[in-house]
Amino acid sequence: MQVDVAILGGGAAGLFCAGEAARRGRRVLVIEHGAAPGEKIRISGGGRCNFTNLNTTYAQFLGRNPRFAISALSRFTPQDFLARIEAAGIAWHEKTLGQLFCDGPATQVVAMLRKGMEAGGAALWLNTTFGDVTKENEAFRIETSRGAVVAARVVVATGGKSIPKMGATAAGYRLAESFGLPVTDTRPALVPLTFAEQELEWLRPLAGVAVQGCMSVGAQAFDEAVLFTHRGLSGPAVLQISSYWREGQTVRADLAPGADIAGKLRALRAKGGRMALRSALSEALPERLARHIETVSCLEGPVGAQSNAALDRLGAFVHDLELRPVGTEGYRTAEVTLGGVDTSALDPRTMEAKSLPGLYFIGEVVDVTGWLGGYNFQWAWASAYATAQAV
Ligand code: FDA
């Protein structure tokens, strides 16, 4: 089998790159070890695929050099991908914070990408593993379970390590290293945080409670939903902050941003304060949380029976709760992988390895990781597009 472009991995980036390169007349083959392509697209966004974010800039990305993403992101924008979605007749809506979702199932996006490939005559090998990749003269030779493939260009789109059960592997990182390219440390991101038994003791009774909160680590903060679970904390704000948290650090939670709990309690106290603490707290917090905070604070009696210092402590508890995670749920549930092929080794306009012409890395395998909210797919589309114009 001889092709112009062999793409390793049939996920978001691989499928889109295949369609775009085929459209430019390239003979393209995608090699995917799963039984179906685009499996993460299928389950993304709760089955509705948050396929892009209108507010995308390089500022929503982490990595050794987030500015690396500027070139690709500016040449293929959220509006460009949205135009593809609309041309395919896929109904969509903006949920919040610029996040665009399909109205219907996420599989529509996979079907659209497959159609793009088919229109250009790109081939897709499923259930196919690849082994050694070597460069011979001007071409690459890829050993696969279906025999050798010779390709003028190889695009590595094998994604990150998150959710091994869905076919995630470290193959792309290993391939980069086999050609001498640097790979930065990888770690699970956009992942629930876990806690020691001591903290779980008071978190666990709240399982199922959700608040619009603010989670922060140092100067980085996210104002989004916080969800209490049996294992600790989850929800968008927690997933977002997990990308910034490192072992040993504390995270801070404001469970009622802008509510000035201490001020309100003091005002109630000044007016006589016969209201129960839990009732006063539940004006700004879900009732279960309010009751729980009253219990763990060990304060007895109504608002009026408390000292100002006690009310201030309650306010601090709600607005500046210090938590010390012991870890994360790991790659088993992480939405993405931080780190990857070091961007210093890649050309930002094409994603081509500077030291090895003809070898490209796109999507999550690269050390470019987005916030929650459609940014990771936008990076997959944009990096794939940049490479498709170059191969
Ligand atoms: P992707 O993981 O999509 O594709 C890699 C492909 O390579 C896979 O098909 C894999 O099977 C294949 N592969 C791996 N190793 C191989 C090997 N050795 N041989 C052959 N094939 C191999 N992002 C977002 O922007 N909006 C969202 O709504 C969501 N939602 C979401 C939910 C969940 C549960 C997860 C886990 C992730 C998300 N994401 C997301 C993140 C998003 O799915 C992710 O960033 C992109 O899919 C990355 O695209 P890639 O093509 O780089 O990797």
Side-chain angles (χ1 to χ4, degrees), residues 8 33 130-131 133 156 158-161 167-178 361 365:
L8 309 181
H33 72 163
F130 70 87
V133 179
V156 183
T158 44
K161 296 179 185 172
T169 71
Y173 310 118
R174 284 199 300 270
L175 198 154
E177 281 168 342
S178 75
F361 292 84
V365 74

Side-chain angles (χ1 to χ4, degrees), residues 7-16 30-53 100-101 125-131 156-164 166-172 174 190 331-337 362-366 368-381 383-384:
I7 300 179
L8 309 181
L15 295 177
F16 189 54
V30 175
I31 299 169
E32 164 62 46
H33 72 163
E39 277 294 88
K40 279 194 184 160
I41 301 173
R42 182 177 62 78
I43 61 156
S44 67
R48 292 282 183 264
C49 189
N50 177 194
F51 54 81
T52 192
N53 192 303
L100 303 193
F101 283 76
W125 284 0
L126 295 172
N127 299 305
T128 309
T129 55
F130 70 87
V156 183
T158 44
K161 296 179 185 172
S162 310
I163 322 215
M166 297 196 66
T169 71
R174 284 199 300 270
L190 299 183
Y331 290 118
R332 188 178 59 78
T333 62
E335 282 200 14
V336 287
T337 303
I362 59 174
E364 202 179 315
V365 74
V366 180
V368 173
T369 307
W371 289 357
L372 188 80
Y375 300 105
N376 285 295
F377 277 141
Q378 187 55 36
W379 168 246
W381 318 134
S383 57

Side-chain angles (χ1 to χ4, degrees), residues 51-313:
F51 54 81
T52 192
N53 192 303
L54 294 175
N55 303 324
T56 306
T57 69
Y58 77 93
Q60 297 90 28
F61 291 87
L62 294 88
R64 191 167 277 179
N65 174 21
R67 298 183 70 90
F68 172 85
I70 292 175
S71 172
L73 290 174
S74 60
R75 279 180 302 135
F76 191 81
T77 65
Q79 283 73 17
D80 291 326
F81 193 75
L82 183 55
R84 307 297 174 96
I85 289 281
E86 292 196 319
I90 300 174
W92 60 275
H93 61 280
E94 181 178 346
K95 196 170 171 187
T96 172
L97 304 170
Q99 301 168 5
L100 303 193
F101 283 76
C102 298
D103 289 355
T107 45
Q108 296 172 102
V109 177
V110 183
M112 175 188 93
L113 298 173
R114 286 193 80 160
K115 221 163 161 189
M117 282 179 63
E118 280 154 19
L124 171 63
W125 284 0
L126 295 172
N127 299 305
T128 309
T129 55
F130 70 87
D132 284 351
V133 179
T134 48
K135 187 152 195 200
E136 291 177 355
N137 305 319
E138 288 306 291
F140 291 87
R141 183 184 167 91
I142 305 155
E143 305 302 334
T144 83
S145 51
R146 286 213 206 179
V149 173
V150 173
R153 315 239 190 277
V154 171
V155 181
V156 183
T158 44
K161 296 179 185 172
S162 310
I163 322 215
K165 235 172 52 188
M166 297 196 66
T169 71
Y173 310 118
R174 284 199 300 270
L175 198 154
E177 281 168 342
S178 75
F179 283 110
L181 301 182
V183 175
T184 65
D185 288 345
T186 53
R187 58 181 283 127
L190 299 183
V191 62
L193 298 170
T194 56
F195 294 88
E197 195 51 40
Q198 200 185 345
E199 260 174 323
L200 272 182
E201 242 170 58
W202 82 265
L203 287 173
R204 209 181 270 130
L206 292 169
V209 172
V211 294
Q212 197 60 29
C214 176
M215 300 293 300
S216 59
V217 167
Q220 188 66 48
F222 290 94
D223 263 319
E224 284 183 66
V226 176
L227 179 67
F228 293 85
T229 72
H230 286 105
R231 286 196 291 262
L233 287 177
S234 188
V238 176
L239 300 187
Q240 300 277 35
I241 212 64
S242 74
S243 300
Y244 291 85
W245 174 80
R246 292 296 176 272
E247 282 72 10
Q249 285 184 320
T250 52
V251 296
R252 304 188 102 85
D254 183 343
L255 301 175
D260 184 16
I261 294 287
K264 281 194 180 128
L265 292 174
R266 276 172 175 251
L268 278 172
R269 182 174 181 265
K271 280 194 246 156
R274 268 185 294 174
M275 196 186 256
L277 273 174
R278 61 179 171 283
S279 308
L281 288 171
S282 69
E283 283 177 7
L285 296 168
E287 211 211 318
R288 262 179 75 200
L289 180 57
R291 223 175 320 126
H292 192 60
I293 290 176
E294 183 190 52
T295 308
V296 297
S297 70
C298 299
L299 296 175
E300 282 176 17
V303 177
Q306 315 304 326
S307 66
N308 277 338
L311 297 180
D312 287 347
R313 272 202 309 279

